[in-house]
Amino acid sequence: MFDKFALLGFGPGGWGLPLLQGAGITISIALATLPFGLALGLIVALGKRSEKIVPRWLATVYATVFRGVPELLTLYIIYFGIQVVLQELWQRLGLPGNFSMPPFVAGMVALGVVLSAFSSEVWVGALNSIQKGQREAAAALGLSRSQAFRLIVFPQLIRVALPGLGNNWMVLLKETSLVSVITLPDIMFITTRANVTTKEPFLFFGAAMLIYLAFSLASAWGVAKLEARSNRGIAAFGGATR
């Protein structure tokens, strides 16, 4: 039995280093996707709340599509479909060689658009919680719309949206496992290859489970700390923030 656990070590025949590298890929793609997905989600949320029908319609369709289509299908479309389109464009421009989309970029874009669709709902709820009077007061002080959003609306927006965005981050961490199907050597890719080589599924998939669980526990702790920090001083005013 102990010989089996030696397969997780860093010695000869051990998979410790590949697993560590796979964990690094997993957290790297999650961290790269997060700002892209949340920023795009905020843009979609602002589009949903636009007074103009075209931006509102486009934002609603975008969110509906990427919330309804399976994440794996989105990943395939971006990695294989978009690559074909860009390859055709590459050849039409007469550029040398062939265009090849890096799996890391494809994974980040696919996970990012899905994250943006779900996070847009969180952003919309947070935007709806901020009273219109605050924007009117900012205008009365001579602040432009961009200044009012940056200085007054956005700090409150983050505090209100943080719990929901924290949940989005936890889901994103788990969805990174999908990138293994496009040969990106994340945790699931490494553990699957290790299982094929050693025929020890419980050992390696159990190790993957513990790694994901460790990431989730660390994330839950970090989000809780951020929430506590963002809520400093709120209780002193009876919870009033509007």
Side-chain angles (χ1 to χ4, degrees), residues 166-180:
N167 288 334
N168 289 156
W169 163 253
M170 299 289 276
V171 173
L172 172 63
L173 268 177
K174 294 183 291 184
E175 288 181 344
T176 57
S177 61
L178 295 175
V179 300
S180 62

Side-chain angles (χ1 to χ4, degrees), residues 15-70:
W15 289 82
L17 183 58
L19 283 172
L20 189 60
Q21 293 171 335
I25 293 292
T26 292
I27 200 66
S28 294
I29 194 169
L31 290 174
T33 301
L34 185 66
F36 166 65
L38 294 188
L40 185 56
L42 179 56
I43 293 172
V44 173
L46 293 173
K48 285 183 176 182
R49 299 181 79 254
S50 175
E51 297 177 355
K52 299 180 180 180
I53 188 170
V54 173
R56 190 168 65 248
W57 182 82
L58 288 175
T60 301
V61 170
Y62 175 93
T64 301
V65 168
F66 287 110
R67 289 176 65 201
V69 175

Side-chain angles (χ1 to χ4, degrees), residues 23 26-28 30-31 34 162-174 176 210-228:
T26 292
I27 200 66
S28 294
L31 290 174
L34 185 66
L162 193 55
L165 297 181
N167 288 334
N168 289 156
W169 163 253
M170 299 289 276
V171 173
L172 172 63
L173 268 177
K174 294 183 291 184
T176 57
L210 292 177
I211 294 172
Y212 280 114
L213 183 59
F215 283 158
S216 297
L217 292 175
S219 298
W221 178 84
V223 170
K225 288 293 184 181
L226 289 174
E227 288 184 25

